[in-house]
Amino acid sequence: MSNCLENMNFNIKIQRLCLKCHHMTKLRFSTAKLPKHDLAKIRNIGISAHIDAGKTTTTERMLYYSGLIDHMGEVHHGNTVTDFMDQERERGITITSAAVSFFWKNHQFNLIDTPGHIDFTMEVEQTLNVLDGVVVILDGSAGVEAQTLTVWRQADRYNIPRIVYVNKMDRTDSNIHMCCESIEKKLDVSSILLQLPVVENNRLVGIIDVLSQELISYGSTTNKNISRTQLSKKEHPELFDKAQKARIKVIEQLSDFDDELANKVISLESFDSISTIEVVKALRNVTQERRAVPVLLGSSYKNLGVQTLMDSIILYLPSPESTTKVFSHFEDHFCGRAFKVKHDKQRGPLVFVRMYNGLIKKGQKVHSVQRGESEQVSRLYVAYADDYREVDQVENGNIAVLGGLKKTICGDLLTTSQSAYEKAKKNFLKKTSSQDSLEPQFGISARVPEPVFFCSIEPPSMATQNALDQALAELQREDPSLRVTYNSETAQTVLGGMGELHLEIIRERILREYKIDADLGPLQISYREEPLERLTEELRTDVKIGSIRNSVFVKLSIIPEEGVGGVSLKFDKSPESASNLSGLSRRNLTAIKQGIAVGLGQGPKISSPVINTTVMLHWFEVGRGTSDTIIVSTVTQLIQNLLKESGTCILEPVMLLEIVTPPEHLSAVMSDLSRRRSAINNVDMRGNSKVVSATTPLSELMGYSTDLRTITSGTAVFTTEFLQYQRMSPSDEENAIKSVRGF
Ligand code: GDP
Ligand code: MG
């Protein structure tokens, strides 16, 4: 703690110094000027916002002020640094998370661009996973919007501290107090307003820093200097009065959360004598413990407020120190997470890694904990938006970009070897002495969302099939929530994804980046099948291929397990079976598993994957020299026989739905839900709004956003999330079969 405070004192001193002579802090690209590696001076942050709130514009200004770029791009000119994807430029939404490193006041900022659309949950979640803090941008004339709510919930799930930046305060219809109210009401968190707008003749001319009681004026567009004037009763009677009231309010609010500050206020019997350093310290704690959120404001477009926002990121958002603690169990081995894979035209696949421990070097071997595979890093870079600089090593806390990897996918936890991981695991269990599961601690159980929609994809010609397969393989590494499968019945490649926009964007990327004009079939809901009965059967294959005799004998059971979700393999433990299976080689087991996976891949009813199933292996015999392919096909055949005989029922994806609506529309919302086969789980109050939580089949949610807008005159917002696969009634099942077969 004292360390923290020292840092803070230091920061404030630096800030003062820097504000007086800003040119001294201009750090252009040069890492040489960065002080010795110091975790406390790193900020890994993301910026989240509703579309059009000003994320791109604000990022651009940050890069400009840090000295990383010379000219400011404007969104409507389509030349901003972070929006390097064509689609992003056209749609005006952020699809690929670009990482940008830059320096501000002796600190390194690693800005990780979070994707803007809710359909990209996998990408959003991977990004959130590696962030230490988030800046949430609001449009000053709109306050909290639908997507703000979604990103806020996601940041809640990952316990990420946040500050709010209210942008577009130059607009005459902006209202900072309305924004604070909407934060309290819709996000259900106390907002601590640290700045006030200074408006003259309907123009935003400056900002009051509530804590220091200073008037901040920002220079002209190209002038990076800002000036601070201490407010005084004599010269600025009105502003001074406002600022004082606001400062007292901040201290009052903070005293509710921070005992140390509360005691200080009581002992001093005055608000004025509380020093700014003390307030900053309390605010930092409250922010990092996520008990309240500091609110800053500005107009990025008019170049007001961005530098002070960056100062606040240093002051209130955490450094990587706390998040990397658990990874210190890796001792002198490096550890990091691959949170983004991007295919670069010149450099090939690039893997973005958030470093959690040690340092990574060029030429290093990296081992994926989840997949148990290793490969070599040939090049190492640091990313500056679409510009990469080669480096020899990247240290803990920072973002490394790895070149030359062929297998690593988004979400992998990387270290030097399996034994390094085993050792870290041991260290962890020794130190914690609790029975806590380690997977969530190391973040290797992060969920890959279920692809609930799918559609077929066809190349424009047979000649482009290979190129299409290649493109899909690359896109899958970038985005594991995209599933690519092959349906042998229809001889079609099938894409599975999170939503219509998700799949549409994949199609567009294939067109733009790979120049393949692929056709998408109609969007369909992804169903599953579940066996109806427990059954046991055996199968023998005996064939001569060439001069080699192939013989396999397998005995299996399928066991329905309602509600478990996946598929598992068990071994018959009876003495007879156990002695037969004890001779099973690893190679044969792999072939058996593969046969099961293929066999369960397409159920007998509508060719959907079969889940909620345990397969029990009772007996296995194999003749010498029998090929693996024969084993796989025998097991597949046996599974298919079992499924046909037992019969299956169809399972449909059911979503968790949360709707926030003004009370006057509650009954309309509820009666609409009841028409959608929904179960209402809960109705709550949040601020002045009603929050309805329900479970609803995905098939009933087609077009829901339009319908909800209509019945609530656009006043309600909703979020959905996959919950589980659920059995359907016979008549609903009939409808599902019709929709799948198209008749
Ligand atoms: P994003 O979708 O969150 O990345 O938002 P952009 O940065 O692309 O901005 C959306 C639109 O709002 C663009 O036309 C910007 O020029 C405009 N904009 C951004 N910041 C401001 C601001 O401070 N004031 C005003 N009036 N407009 C802004
Ligand atoms: Mg943008």
Side-chain angles (χ1 to χ4, degrees):
M1 191 66 249
S2 70
N3 201 0
C4 203
L5 188 58
E6 262 164 41
N7 252 328
M8 209 141 45
N9 280 327
F10 178 65
N11 282 337
I12 291 172
K13 267 188 223 146
I14 293 194
Q15 246 177 289
R16 286 281 146 81
L17 230 155
C18 296
L19 291 167
K20 282 191 184 118
C21 42
H22 183 262
H23 60 276
M24 275 175 55
T25 63
K26 243 175 127 189
L27 290 157
R28 318 191 99 259
F29 269 100
S30 159
T31 39
K33 286 181 194 163
L34 189 70
K36 165 173 142 295
H37 181 66
D38 182 354
L39 271 187
K41 293 205 172 61
I42 298 175
R43 296 290 179 277
N44 286 304
I45 52 161
I47 298 186
S48 290
H50 189 86
I51 288 167
D52 271 357
K55 190 167 105 171
T56 305
T57 310
T58 308
T59 307
E60 202 66 14
R61 297 305 188 264
M62 287 187 177
L63 298 183
Y64 176 72
Y65 293 124
S66 75
L68 200 58
I69 51 170
D70 286 327
H71 304 287
M72 279 191 261
E74 295 300 346
V75 172
H76 52 262
H77 297 152
N79 61 346
T80 59
V81 174
T82 45
D83 286 2
F84 50 73
M85 289 179 66
D86 291 350
Q87 277 176 50
E88 155 86 336
R89 278 172 211 195
E90 276 172 26
R91 285 176 187 263
I93 61 171
T94 309
I95 294 161
T96 300
S97 50
V100 196
S101 299
F102 58 88
F103 304 104
W104 179 248
K105 295 189 179 166
N106 217 23
H107 284 66
Q108 176 163 1
F109 282 39
N110 299 313
L111 189 70
I112 296 154
D113 195 13
T114 54
H117 197 274
I118 35 171
D119 271 0
F120 296 87
T121 44
M122 177 78 197
E123 245 194 314
V124 176
E125 297 206 358
Q126 280 309 320
T127 307
L128 290 173
N129 216 343
V130 302
L131 293 176
D132 296 319
V134 168
V135 176
V136 176
I137 302 186
L138 302 187
D139 176 334
S141 61
V144 171
E145 295 173 85
Q147 236 181 304
T148 323
L149 224 88
T150 311
V151 295
W152 198 269
R153 294 238 175 74
Q154 274 163 328
D156 274 340
R157 187 145 72 203
Y158 287 85
N159 301 327
I160 307 174
R162 271 146 270 177
I163 59 182
V164 169
Y165 172 65
V166 179
N167 187 34
K168 303 201 184 181
M169 286 305 296
D170 59 300
R171 288 182 55 150
T172 47
D173 57 350
S174 67
N175 183 338
I176 186 65
H177 299 292
M178 175 276 289
C179 289
C180 287
E181 261 169 44
S182 81
I183 291 170
E184 312 230 330
K185 254 194 219 159
K186 294 184 180 165
L187 304 177
D188 206 19
V189 61
S190 299
S191 62
I192 301 185
L193 185 57
L194 299 181
Q195 296 179 331
L196 300 172
V198 182
V199 178
E200 277 171 16
N201 303 323
N202 272 335
R203 261 187 62 231
L204 180 70
V205 294
I207 289 172
I208 294 173
D209 180 341
V210 168
L211 298 189
S212 67
Q213 305 271 292
E214 287 170 327
L215 170 63
I216 308 173
S217 313
Y218 297 79
S220 65
T221 315
T222 47
N223 185 348
K224 296 178 184 178
N225 296 338
I226 64 175
S227 61
R228 291 176 172 252
T229 319
Q230 191 68 48
L231 290 172
S232 69
K233 198 167 187 114
K234 210 163 114 218
E235 276 172 64
H236 323 85
E238 240 174 79
L239 296 183
F240 182 77
D241 204 41
K242 262 182 155 173
Q244 266 210 324
K245 280 197 183 121
R247 192 175 195 273
I248 290 170
K249 184 168 177 211
V250 169
I251 297 172
E252 274 176 350
Q253 280 181 299
L254 282 173
S255 308
D256 283 344
F257 300 111
D258 191 286
D259 290 345
E260 207 179 317
L261 190 72
N263 292 335
K264 199 87 184 209
V265 172
I266 294 165
S267 68
L268 291 173
E269 291 176 358
S270 127
F271 289 113
D272 296 340
S273 29
I274 303 280
S275 76
T276 296
I277 286 181
E278 281 164 319
V279 184
V280 167
K281 184 185 155 200
L283 196 49
R284 181 182 208 142
N285 289 340
V286 165
T287 309
Q288 299 192 3
E289 286 160 12
R290 292 173 295 103
R291 289 191 285 178
V293 59
V295 177
L296 302 144
L297 58 87
S299 162
S300 300
Y301 184 64
K302 299 273 161 100
N303 307 297
L304 271 90
V306 178
Q307 295 105 316
T308 33
L309 168 63
M310 289 159 84
D311 294 344
S312 301
I313 290 171
I314 293 178
L315 287 175
Y316 306 122
L317 290 179
S319 75
E321 279 163 310
S322 55
T323 37
T324 54
K325 214 172 245 158
V326 64
F327 295 95
S328 65
H329 295 305
F330 281 86
E331 295 178 333
D332 49 353
H333 293 275
F334 98 86
C335 175
R337 180 179 317 285
F339 66 93
K340 166 112 202 113
V341 177
K342 190 179 169 289
H343 286 82
D344 185 87
K345 291 250 157 50
Q346 288 122 44
R347 298 174 187 86
L350 296 175
V351 178
F352 288 67
V353 173
R354 159 73 200 267
M355 295 292 296
Y356 284 130
N357 189 60
L359 55 86
I360 188 166
K361 288 191 169 145
K362 198 162 92 179
Q364 169 114 43
K365 205 178 81 181
V366 297
H367 175 85
S368 159
V369 170
Q370 290 102 318
R371 292 177 306 99
E373 280 186 311
S374 299
E375 55 180 335
Q376 193 114 17
V377 179
S378 59
R379 281 167 193 269
L380 196 59
Y381 308 91
V382 170
Y384 297 96
D386 56 353
D387 191 15
Y388 300 92
R389 300 190 65 220
E390 269 203 82
V391 292
D392 292 328
Q393 63 179 51
V394 177
E395 280 163 310
N396 182 13
N398 275 320
I399 309 293
V401 184
L402 281 46
L405 300 182
K406 297 196 174 62
K407 301 175 195 155
T408 305
I409 61 170
C410 179
D412 280 355
L413 185 74
L414 302 174
T415 183
T416 52
S417 63
Q418 186 63 29
S419 62
Y421 174 63
E422 298 300 338
K423 186 138 179 261
K425 222 158 90 173
K426 244 187 231 154
N427 289 342
F428 171 80
L429 294 172
K430 222 184 326 180
K431 297 241 170 67
T432 53
S433 73
S434 72
Q435 286 307 303
D436 280 358
S437 166
L438 150 122
E439 276 72 21
Q441 299 279 336
F442 285 170
I444 51 181
S445 52
R447 319 167 305 138
V448 176
E450 279 293 326
V452 286
F453 283 107
F454 72 92
C455 65
S456 61
I457 181 165
E458 304 251 19
S461 67
M462 287 306 283
T464 45
Q465 181 72 53
N466 280 348
L468 178 63
D469 291 347
Q470 174 68 25
L472 289 172
E474 288 188 4
L475 290 171
Q476 252 190 311
R477 277 184 70 192
E478 295 185 16
D479 174 8
S481 62
L482 169 71
R483 302 276 171 89
V484 181
T485 50
Y486 183 73
N487 185 332
S488 54
E489 233 167 67
T490 58
Q492 277 177 324
T493 304
V494 178
L495 301 185
M498 306 301 302
E500 195 165 8
L501 185 63
H502 186 192
L503 296 176
E504 184 53 34
I505 282 171
I506 296 291
R507 195 191 79 84
E508 277 190 38
R509 287 190 62 184
I510 293 170
L511 177 61
R512 241 163 261 269
E513 294 169 36
Y514 300 91
K515 310 278 178 275
I516 306 169
D517 192 4
D519 257 338
L520 293 191
L523 193 69
Q524 298 193 314
I525 289 176
S526 180
Y527 292 99
R528 295 286 183 271
E529 294 181 42
E530 180 184 315
L532 291 172
E533 276 183 79
R534 180 187 177 125
L535 275 182
T536 309
E537 265 183 34
E538 52 191 53
L539 185 66
R540 182 182 297 279
T541 307
D542 213 332
V543 286
K544 214 166 167 188
I545 301 173
S547 60
I548 299 166
R549 195 176 149 216
N550 290 265
S551 74
V552 186
F553 174 80
V554 200
K555 185 176 177 187
L556 293 175
S557 299
I558 51 165
I559 305 158
E561 310 256 19
E562 200 180 340
V564 299
V567 171
S568 60
L569 172 63
K570 284 193 181 139
F571 301 95
D572 187 342
K573 293 270 162 51
S574 69
E576 250 173 77
S577 291
S579 94
N580 164 267
L581 296 175
S582 67
L584 192 63
S585 74
R586 183 187 279 243
R587 181 165 165 183
N588 287 339
L589 182 60
T590 308
I592 292 170
K593 282 185 180 164
Q594 206 183 329
I596 293 173
V598 177
L600 293 175
Q602 288 181 13
K605 210 162 208 169
I606 48 169
S607 302
S608 291
V610 177
I611 61 165
N612 293 356
T613 307
T614 295
V615 176
M616 172 90 71
L617 178 61
H618 302 284
W619 204 266
F620 182 77
E621 282 169 27
V622 63
R624 265 178 82 93
T626 300
S627 87
D628 291 348
T629 322
I630 297 292
I631 302 176
V632 173
S633 67
T634 306
V635 173
T636 301
Q637 183 63 51
L638 179 53
I639 293 278
Q640 294 269 316
N641 293 350
L642 281 163
L643 289 173
K644 253 183 223 131
E645 211 151 300
S646 108
T648 56
C649 61
I650 301 179
L651 307 173
E652 63 176 340
V654 172
M655 311 299 281
L656 207 55
L657 180 65
E658 190 178 284
I659 304 146
V660 183
T661 175
E664 59 269 29
H665 295 300
L666 181 67
S667 65
V669 169
M670 299 282 272
S671 62
D672 173 73
L673 281 178
S674 70
R675 281 193 291 274
R676 296 177 191 269
R677 295 195 281 136
S678 306
I680 308 291
N681 305 331
N682 200 9
V683 180
D684 242 344
M685 212 57 197
R686 182 181 302 156
N688 292 326
S689 298
K690 288 282 186 189
V691 182
V692 182
S693 130
T695 47
T696 307
L698 179 64
S699 61
E700 301 287 344
L701 288 175
M702 298 284 206
Y704 186 59
S705 57
T706 315
D707 295 350
L708 184 67
R709 206 175 307 136
T710 311
I711 56 177
T712 65
S713 317
T715 54
V717 297
F718 79 102
T719 51
T720 61
E721 191 182 312
F722 171 77
L723 178 66
Q724 63 190 26
Y725 278 102
Q726 206 165 283
R727 286 193 182 202
M728 309 171 76
S729 73
S731 67
D732 292 335
E733 190 171 282
E734 225 162 87
N735 290 335
I737 294 175
K738 267 187 213 146
S739 86
V740 171
R741 295 207 179 125
F743 54 81

